[in-house]
Amino acid sequence: MTIFVDMDEVIADTYQAHLDIYYNDYGILHKKEDCSGRDFWQCVPEAHQKSVKAHAWQVGYFRDLKVIPDSQEVLSKLVERHEVYIASAAMQFPNSLLEKSDWLDEFFPFIPWQNRILCGDKHILKGDVLIDDRSYNLKNFDGRTILFTSPHNTKTNGFERADSWSDIAKKLL
C-alpha cells in the first residue's frame, strides 16, 4: 500500500505554534478548543489577523514545530509494512522547504529523503491512502482519504476521520 502523509497539522503541530507565537506577541492566551471550525487567524481581532497570517513566513517557524503525539511511533510501524511518503505543500513559504526537510531529518529520520514530496499542489499524488487535515487536498485524491482532526476542520464532514495517531494505527496497521 502507498500512503501519503501530510506534515502540517498531521505530524507537525502548526496550530499550537500559532497559539504560542500569538501569546508571545500579544500576551493573550488561546486554546485550540476555543477555535473549533476556524483557522487561528479567524480567532483573533481583525487588527491582529495580518500578524498571525505572517507567522509561517518567519524564519524558524517550520523548523521549531512540535511533533503531533504518537505520530513517530505509528509512522515507524507503517514504514515497516507499507510504502510511506511525506507529502507537504512547501512552496508557498520560502523558508519552509529547507526547514521542513531539516525537521523531518530530526524527528522522522526513518523516512528517507527519497520518500519526501515537498510540493505545491497535492492533486498530482497517486496512491492508496492520503492522510491530510485539509479537505481540499482530500477531495481530488483517487484513493482512500483520511481527514486528520485539527481545530480548523472540526466542522468538516464527508470524510473518514482520524482524531489521533492511535486512530490511524487502528485503521492502517
Side-chain angles (χ1 to χ4, degrees):
M1 195 163 42
T2 300
I3 302 170
F4 298 106
V5 179
D6 180 35
M7 280 184 72
D8 302 337
E9 282 310 290
V10 177
I11 62 173
D13 199 344
T14 55
Y15 211 95
Q16 187 61 52
H18 284 300
L19 298 173
D20 294 344
I21 294 168
Y22 188 77
Y23 178 75
N24 288 337
D25 289 350
Y26 297 102
I28 302 169
L29 182 63
H30 285 272
K31 296 178 184 167
K32 289 181 180 181
E33 51 271 15
D34 298 334
C35 299
S36 182
R38 298 178 288 167
D39 284 304
F40 182 62
W41 67 267
Q42 297 171 309
C43 301
V44 303
E46 189 174 338
H48 298 170
Q49 290 179 359
K50 185 176 179 182
S51 170
V52 171
K53 289 179 182 180
H55 290 170
W57 294 87
Q58 295 176 9
V59 172
Y61 175 79
F62 291 98
R63 184 63 185 93
D64 297 333
L65 297 172
K66 293 179 177 79
V67 176
I68 299 285
D70 302 320
S71 60
Q72 292 163 304
E73 295 79 11
V74 174
L75 271 174
S76 70
K77 291 176 185 170
L78 284 172
V79 165
E80 292 172 6
R81 299 178 186 186
H82 305 288
E83 191 172 356
V84 176
Y85 292 87
I86 300 299
S88 184
M91 303 311 294
Q92 183 178 5
F93 305 106
N95 300 312
S96 73
L97 187 64
L98 178 59
E99 290 184 10
K100 285 183 176 194
S101 181
D102 288 346
W103 188 88
L104 287 166
D105 286 343
E106 180 176 350
F107 296 109
F108 294 86
F110 52 87
I111 299 177
W113 66 267
Q114 296 91 336
N115 287 49
R116 299 174 188 176
I117 303 166
L118 301 174
C119 58
D121 193 327
K122 296 181 189 174
H123 76 279
I124 61 166
L125 300 176
K126 304 289 182 214
D128 300 300
V129 179
L130 173 59
I131 304 167
D132 205 297
D133 66 302
R134 297 285 179 179
S135 60
Y136 59 77
N137 288 322
L138 299 173
K139 69 180 177 182
N140 294 319
F141 187 73
D142 288 335
R144 180 179 179 185
T145 59
I146 301 174
L147 181 66
F148 197 86
T149 299
S150 172
H152 69 82
N153 69 29
T154 57
K155 297 180 181 176
T156 301
N157 297 311
F159 296 94
E160 179 180 1
R161 183 179 287 275
D163 293 326
S164 67
W165 275 93
S166 175
D167 285 354
I168 295 291
K170 290 173 191 167
K171 292 172 185 292
L172 299 178
L173 288 175

